[in-house]
Amino acid sequence: PTQYAEDILCALRAVKDRLSIPVVWNTGGYENADTIRACRGLVDVFLTDFKYGTAETAEKYSAAPDYVTAATDALTAMVEVAGKPRWQGDRLTSGVILRHLVLPGCRRDSEAALTAVADAIDPESVILSLMRQYTPDFAPEEFPALRRRVTTFEYEYVRDVAVRLGFSGYSQDADSATAAYTPEF
C-alpha cells in the first residue's frame, strides 16, 4: 500500500471507528518508518516481509543495498504501533506477522536476516512465518543460484536458527513449493 499510503490513511481516518474487523497493512518491508508511525490507531496488524539479511544479497536481488536498515527501522516502528500479537479466538486482532522466504543458496543470509530482527526487536513481539514456498519458475537466467528449489537442509537450518533466536510462529512443509501456489500474472 506504500505508494497510496496518504490516501489509504485518509480513508481509514474516515471509517476506522465503524470497522469491526482488524485493518491489515500488507507490505514487502521496504518502508519508511515515519509512514508506519502514521498508521498508529488506524492499522491493527502489519503483515510484512523481511527479505534479506545483508546489503550484498539485497543489492544483488533487489537493487536495494539499504534494505536491511530500512526494513529493520520499519519493523521496529510496526512493533511500536501494533504492539505484541493479540488474539480474539483464532483471529489476530493486532500485532506483526513477519514473513521470511528462504531462498536457495541463501541460508546464511536468512540467518543474518533473523539475527538482525532479533537484535532490533524482541522475537516474541512478532509471529514468524518462515516460508519455504520458493519456486524457481520465474528465476532470471542471470541468477543461476535461484534456479532450483530450497533444500530440506537449507530450510531446516534456517528454521533451527529461528527457534534458537526465540521466534515462534509458522513453518511450511516441502509441498508448499509448487507452481500451483503461484498466481498467473
Side-chain angles (χ1 to χ4, degrees), residues 2 12-13 34 57 76 95 109 126 151 170 181 185:
T2 306
L12 285 173
R13 283 184 202 97
D34 291 334
T57 304
T76 301
D109 190 79
V126 298
T151 66
Y170 307 96
Y181 294 103
F185 296 101

PDB file of all heavy atoms in Angstrom, residues 2 12-13 34 57 76 95 109 126 151 170 181 185:
ATOM      1  N   THR A   2       2.164   1.143   0.046  1.00  0.00           N
ATOM      2  CA  THR A   2       3.034   2.285   0.307  1.00  0.00           C
ATOM      3  C   THR A   2       2.784   3.469  -0.613  1.00  0.00           C
ATOM      4  O   THR A   2       2.670   4.602  -0.157  1.00  0.00           O
ATOM      5  CB  THR A   2       4.510   1.858   0.210  1.00  0.00           C
ATOM      6  OG1 THR A   2       4.699   0.750   1.088  1.00  0.00           O
ATOM      7  CG2 THR A   2       5.436   2.976   0.608  1.00  0.00           C
ATOM      8  N   LEU A  12      -8.972   5.546   5.989  1.00  0.00           N
ATOM      9  CA  LEU A  12      -9.108   4.863   7.278  1.00  0.00           C
ATOM     10  C   LEU A  12      -9.550   5.822   8.382  1.00  0.00           C
ATOM     11  O   LEU A  12     -10.346   5.440   9.245  1.00  0.00           O
ATOM     12  CB  LEU A  12      -7.800   4.171   7.655  1.00  0.00           C
ATOM     13  CG  LEU A  12      -7.501   2.881   6.892  1.00  0.00           C
ATOM     14  CD1 LEU A  12      -6.099   2.385   7.222  1.00  0.00           C
ATOM     15  CD2 LEU A  12      -8.544   1.818   7.201  1.00  0.00           C
ATOM     16  N   ARG A  13      -9.047   7.044   8.348  1.00  0.00           N
ATOM     17  CA  ARG A  13      -9.486   8.031   9.344  1.00  0.00           C
ATOM     18  C   ARG A  13     -11.001   8.248   9.268  1.00  0.00           C
ATOM     19  O   ARG A  13     -11.664   8.459  10.277  1.00  0.00           O
ATOM     20  CB  ARG A  13      -8.748   9.355   9.157  1.00  0.00           C
ATOM     21  CG  ARG A  13      -7.340   9.337   9.675  1.00  0.00           C
ATOM     22  CD  ARG A  13      -6.662  10.722   9.570  1.00  0.00           C
ATOM     23  NE  ARG A  13      -5.231  10.547   9.567  1.00  0.00           N
ATOM     24  CZ  ARG A  13      -4.465  10.506   8.473  1.00  0.00           C
ATOM     25  NH1 ARG A  13      -4.987  10.680   7.273  1.00  0.00           N
ATOM     26  NH2 ARG A  13      -3.169  10.323   8.576  1.00  0.00           N
ATOM     27  N   ASP A  34       8.493   6.520   9.245  1.00  0.00           N
ATOM     28  CA  ASP A  34       7.524   7.592   9.519  1.00  0.00           C
ATOM     29  C   ASP A  34       6.151   7.257   8.938  1.00  0.00           C
ATOM     30  O   ASP A  34       5.120   7.582   9.539  1.00  0.00           O
ATOM     31  CB  ASP A  34       8.015   8.935   8.977  1.00  0.00           C
ATOM     32  CG  ASP A  34       9.209   9.461   9.759  1.00  0.00           C
ATOM     33  OD1 ASP A  34       9.353   9.099  10.949  1.00  0.00           O
ATOM     34  OD2 ASP A  34       9.993  10.239   9.182  1.00  0.00           O
ATOM     35  N   THR A  57      23.194  -9.257  -0.613  1.00  0.00           N
ATOM     36  CA  THR A  57      22.087 -10.029  -1.184  1.00  0.00           C
ATOM     37  C   THR A  57      20.957  -9.100  -1.603  1.00  0.00           C
ATOM     38  O   THR A  57      20.359  -9.281  -2.672  1.00  0.00           O
ATOM     39  CB  THR A  57      21.586 -11.080  -0.178  1.00  0.00           C
ATOM     40  OG1 THR A  57      22.687 -11.899   0.217  1.00  0.00           O
ATOM     41  CG2 THR A  57      20.513 -11.970  -0.793  1.00  0.00           C
ATOM     42  N   THR A  76      10.713  -2.124  13.417  1.00  0.00           N
ATOM     43  CA  THR A  76      10.710  -1.561  14.770  1.00  0.00           C
ATOM     44  C   THR A  76       9.510  -0.639  14.962  1.00  0.00           C
ATOM     45  O   THR A  76       8.823  -0.706  15.992  1.00  0.00           O
ATOM     46  CB  THR A  76      12.030  -0.809  15.034  1.00  0.00           C
ATOM     47  OG1 THR A  76      13.122  -1.727  14.879  1.00  0.00           O
ATOM     48  CG2 THR A  76      12.079  -0.233  16.430  1.00  0.00           C
ATOM     49  N   GLY A  95      -0.924  -6.746  16.044  1.00  0.00           N
ATOM     50  CA  GLY A  95       0.415  -7.308  16.095  1.00  0.00           C
ATOM     51  C   GLY A  95       1.095  -7.292  14.741  1.00  0.00           C
ATOM     52  O   GLY A  95       0.621  -6.654  13.790  1.00  0.00           O
ATOM     53  N   ASP A 109      22.340 -15.931   4.596  1.00  0.00           N
ATOM     54  CA  ASP A 109      21.664 -14.635   4.514  1.00  0.00           C
ATOM     55  C   ASP A 109      20.384 -14.658   5.342  1.00  0.00           C
ATOM     56  O   ASP A 109      20.068 -13.684   6.033  1.00  0.00           O
ATOM     57  CB  ASP A 109      21.347 -14.277   3.060  1.00  0.00           C
ATOM     58  CG  ASP A 109      20.869 -12.837   2.946  1.00  0.00           C
ATOM     59  OD1 ASP A 109      21.728 -11.930   2.966  1.00  0.00           O
ATOM     60  OD2 ASP A 109      19.648 -12.629   2.891  1.00  0.00           O
ATOM     61  N   VAL A 126       6.693 -10.599  17.584  1.00  0.00           N
ATOM     62  CA  VAL A 126       6.177 -10.865  16.241  1.00  0.00           C
ATOM     63  C   VAL A 126       5.817 -12.344  16.116  1.00  0.00           C
ATOM     64  O   VAL A 126       6.284 -13.173  16.893  1.00  0.00           O
ATOM     65  CB  VAL A 126       7.190 -10.495  15.126  1.00  0.00           C
ATOM     66  CG1 VAL A 126       7.521  -9.011  15.148  1.00  0.00           C
ATOM     67  CG2 VAL A 126       8.453 -11.330  15.219  1.00  0.00           C
ATOM     68  N   THR A 151      16.496 -26.599  -0.465  1.00  0.00           N
ATOM     69  CA  THR A 151      16.652 -27.972   0.024  1.00  0.00           C
ATOM     70  C   THR A 151      16.101 -28.101   1.443  1.00  0.00           C
ATOM     71  O   THR A 151      15.949 -27.102   2.163  1.00  0.00           O
ATOM     72  CB  THR A 151      18.130 -28.395   0.030  1.00  0.00           C
ATOM     73  OG1 THR A 151      18.828 -27.605   1.002  1.00  0.00           O
ATOM     74  CG2 THR A 151      18.775 -28.244  -1.338  1.00  0.00           C
ATOM     75  N   TYR A 170       4.994 -19.967  12.377  1.00  0.00           N
ATOM     76  CA  TYR A 170       4.615 -20.992  11.418  1.00  0.00           C
ATOM     77  C   TYR A 170       5.791 -21.345  10.518  1.00  0.00           C
ATOM     78  O   TYR A 170       6.598 -20.502  10.159  1.00  0.00           O
ATOM     79  CB  TYR A 170       3.462 -20.493  10.536  1.00  0.00           C
ATOM     80  CG  TYR A 170       2.299 -19.993  11.338  1.00  0.00           C
ATOM     81  CD1 TYR A 170       2.152 -18.644  11.624  1.00  0.00           C
ATOM     82  CD2 TYR A 170       1.370 -20.885  11.859  1.00  0.00           C
ATOM     83  CE1 TYR A 170       1.081 -18.181  12.381  1.00  0.00           C
ATOM     84  CE2 TYR A 170       0.308 -20.435  12.626  1.00  0.00           C
ATOM     85  CZ  TYR A 170       0.165 -19.085  12.880  1.00  0.00           C
ATOM     86  OH  TYR A 170      -0.868 -18.635  13.641  1.00  0.00           O
ATOM     87  N   TYR A 181       0.823 -22.703  -6.323  1.00  0.00           N
ATOM     88  CA  TYR A 181       0.604 -21.558  -5.435  1.00  0.00           C
ATOM     89  C   TYR A 181       1.032 -20.237  -6.068  1.00  0.00           C
ATOM     90  O   TYR A 181       0.928 -19.188  -5.443  1.00  0.00           O
ATOM     91  CB  TYR A 181       1.345 -21.755  -4.114  1.00  0.00           C
ATOM     92  CG  TYR A 181       0.799 -22.916  -3.308  1.00  0.00           C
ATOM     93  CD1 TYR A 181       1.465 -24.123  -3.263  1.00  0.00           C
ATOM     94  CD2 TYR A 181      -0.387 -22.788  -2.610  1.00  0.00           C
ATOM     95  CE1 TYR A 181       0.960 -25.193  -2.535  1.00  0.00           C
ATOM     96  CE2 TYR A 181      -0.902 -23.841  -1.875  1.00  0.00           C
ATOM     97  CZ  TYR A 181      -0.222 -25.040  -1.844  1.00  0.00           C
ATOM     98  OH  TYR A 181      -0.730 -26.082  -1.124  1.00  0.00           O
ATOM     99  N   PHE A 185       0.060 -14.139 -13.662  1.00  0.00           N
ATOM    100  CA  PHE A 185       0.134 -12.687 -13.785  1.00  0.00           C
ATOM    101  C   PHE A 185      -0.173 -12.264 -15.204  1.00  0.00           C
ATOM    102  O   PHE A 185       0.198 -12.830 -16.145  1.00  0.00           O
ATOM    103  CB  PHE A 185       1.527 -12.172 -13.377  1.00  0.00           C
ATOM    104  CG  PHE A 185       1.845 -12.432 -11.934  1.00  0.00           C
ATOM    105  CD1 PHE A 185       2.660 -13.473 -11.560  1.00  0.00           C
ATOM    106  CD2 PHE A 185       1.302 -11.624 -10.948  1.00  0.00           C
ATOM    107  CE1 PHE A 185       2.948 -13.700 -10.235  1.00  0.00           C
ATOM    108  CE2 PHE A 185       1.591 -11.841  -9.616  1.00  0.00           C
ATOM    109  CZ  PHE A 185       2.414 -12.889  -9.259  1.00  0.00           C
TER     110      PHE A 185
END
